[in-house]
Amino acid sequence: MVLEIKDIMKALPHRYPFLLCDRILEVEYGKAVKGIKNVTINEPFFQGHFPDEPIMPGVLILESMAQVGGFIFYKSDEIEKSLKGKIVKINEAKFLRTVLPGDVLEVTGKLVERSGNYSQVDLFAKVGGRVVAKAMITYAFNI
């Protein structure tokens, strides 16, 4: 199942310039997800990070990963689609390569654990098949 930008905008509250997910390529509800963010020179953050050597900020790579990761729970039979997850914890975040204008950030995530209102997702971001970032993100629902 592929979700295009209009479907993503129905699911996520984020809007420009903070919507950092362009397409969901695969979803196994409650288990795994794969999505992309097309990184262009037109991103507003490149004006200041850095003007002579544009690099996508690590915190925005994490945000992109978190937005894609949240689709594991979208329309799941365990969590109603009206519920919005919030990030409550990020563990083991590592940035292994820079992300530049023109890159396609491919994010994959797998549900590791669910306990009550909390769900932990293992996420990887790749460019050209090479891991650029990884993190374990914990989402909370109904808090």
Side-chain angles (χ1 to χ4, degrees), residues 99-142:
V99 176
L100 307 171
D103 286 344
V104 176
L105 198 62
E106 182 182 289
V107 177
T108 57
K110 291 187 180 184
L111 182 67
V112 174
E113 183 180 358
R114 175 174 278 164
S115 178
N117 290 338
Y118 298 92
S119 296
Q120 193 174 45
V121 179
D122 195 16
L123 290 147
F124 291 86
K126 296 180 181 180
V127 171
R130 299 175 83 177
V131 176
V132 296
K134 57 185 178 177
M136 187 76 67
I137 297 179
T138 303
Y139 299 84
F141 297 88
N142 285 338

Side-chain angles (χ1 to χ4, degrees), residues 31-68:
K31 294 184 181 178
V33 67
K34 180 178 181 181
I36 60 169
K37 162 66 178 143
N38 296 303
V39 181
T40 74
I41 193 62
N42 295 320
E43 307 288 350
F45 51 80
F46 284 134
Q47 293 177 32
H49 199 269
F50 298 97
D52 296 329
E53 189 178 338
I55 297 171
M56 186 173 184
V59 70
L60 295 180
I61 296 170
L62 278 174
E63 178 62 30
S64 180
M65 293 166 68
Q67 288 179 21
V68 170

